[in-house]
Amino acid sequence: LAKTTQPISMDSYEGQEVNITCSHNNIATNDYITWYQQFPSQGPRFIIQGYKTKVTNEVASLFIPADRKSSTLSLPRVSLSDTAVYYCLVGDWMDSSYKLIFGSGTRLLVRP
Amino acid sequence: GAVVSQHPSRVICKSGTSVKIECRSLDFQATTMFWYRQFPKQSLMLMATSNEGSKATYEQGVEKDKFLINHASLTLSTLTVTSAHPEDSSFYICSARDEEGTVNEKLFFGSGTQLSVL
């Protein structure tokens, strides 16, 4: 079972900031939080990864509160090309192997 | 970042035939690769973990005799769908972890293979 819960879908308009929150109540001490973006008929693309507090790169920011039971992906000034499915993942040690189990993801629609 | 190449990107085959999908890590070595399956409008479902030099580990409900995985080198894993049937039609995606990173290093994904079984 996926260890994360996200809203199924979100709508936004071009130029707006979009914040997608993910719940991971059972995150383990050594788990990192990773976000991926997926366009139709393509493999997921890495966006950002963090462990705690705030991480920022050229495309997004990731906010993680002190208890690490949730995280928020922030996309500044979205464009139409940001319409995609966004997945929040935390790692899972199963059968002595580290795996990433995908949850349902959030389908973001950016409107003109 | 690291690149994972997946081939072919699309394949159409007749029912009963076998199809092989290749996944290569182009600029890094990957002891472990993962195979996912995705149906339209659904999330990715982990099928199996491919381990270089040893047997793959399959997730519950995935038939190991149906989906043969071979990981003969540190840069190549293959998934063979044997005796494919229309219900096997799906989008198959591989991923690999850069072994130079920590255990929490991000996975790199291939571009996927759309399999259509007639």
Side-chain angles (χ1 to χ4, degrees):
Chain A
L1 291 178
K3 296 169 66 172
T4 60
T5 303
Q6 306 173 231
I8 295 296
S9 64
M10 293 182 69
D11 280 17
S12 182
Y13 291 92
E14 280 190 293
Q16 289 188 334
E17 178 184 78
V18 171
N19 296 307
I20 305 175
T21 297
C22 177
S23 297
H24 27 80
N25 293 316
N26 297 318
I27 189 170
T29 302
N30 57 350
D31 280 342
Y32 278 67
I33 301 153
T34 313
W35 286 79
Y36 288 85
Q37 175 192 55
Q38 187 185 27
F39 297 111
S41 300
Q42 294 186 28
R45 183 177 73 97
F46 171 86
I47 300 175
I48 198 166
Q49 183 183 71
Y51 184 80
K52 61 180 179 180
T53 63
K54 177 183 175 181
V55 180
T56 297
N57 61 23
E58 62 275 10
V59 298
S61 294
L62 179 59
F63 299 91
I64 305 169
D67 66 7
R68 303 200 330 119
K69 293 184 182 298
S70 67
S71 60
T72 299
L73 173 72
S74 181
L75 304 173
R77 296 181 299 281
V78 294
S79 62
L80 295 178
S81 61
D82 292 319
T83 293
V85 180
Y86 292 82
Y87 293 98
C88 159
L89 294 94
V90 300
D92 201 354
W93 278 100
M94 297 172 62
D95 302 322
S96 302
S97 176
Y98 188 81
K99 307 176 183 180
L100 286 184
I101 306 298
F102 282 76
S104 61
T106 298
R107 192 172 297 272
L108 173 65
L109 173 62
V110 180
R111 303 177 186 273
Chain B
V3 177
V4 173
S5 174
Q6 189 172 339
H7 179 80
S9 59
R10 178 178 295 272
V11 59
I12 301 173
C13 69
K14 293 182 178 179
S15 184
T17 61
S18 295
V19 174
K20 179 183 286 188
I21 303 170
E22 292 189 349
C23 181
R24 295 179 184 273
S25 55
L26 295 187
D27 51 1
F28 66 100
Q29 294 184 331
T31 303
T32 305
M33 292 186 177
F34 303 92
W35 286 95
Y36 292 85
R37 180 174 178 175
Q38 185 175 35
F39 292 107
K41 303 294 185 182
Q42 294 187 21
S43 183
L44 286 77
M45 182 192 78
L46 180 64
M47 297 176 67
T49 302
S50 172
N51 305 298
E52 187 269 334
S54 64
K55 291 182 178 180
T57 304
Y58 291 82
E59 297 300 304
Q60 190 174 8
V62 178
E63 301 176 56
K64 61 180 181 180
D65 295 328
K66 174 76 171 177
F67 300 100
L68 300 179
I69 292 173
N70 182 276
H71 194 154
S73 77
L74 287 173
T75 59
L76 174 64
S77 175
T78 61
L79 169 69
T80 301
V81 183
T82 63
S83 185
H85 291 284
E87 58 266 29
D88 299 321
S89 298
S90 186
F91 191 57
Y92 293 86
I93 309 169
C94 70
S95 69
R97 179 166 63 87
D98 186 350
E99 301 299 323
E100 293 298 310
T102 68
V103 70
N104 290 298
E105 188 60 47
K106 55 185 177 286
L107 293 185
F108 298 95
F109 286 83
S111 55
T113 298
Q114 182 63 53
L115 170 63
S116 299
V117 184
L118 304 178

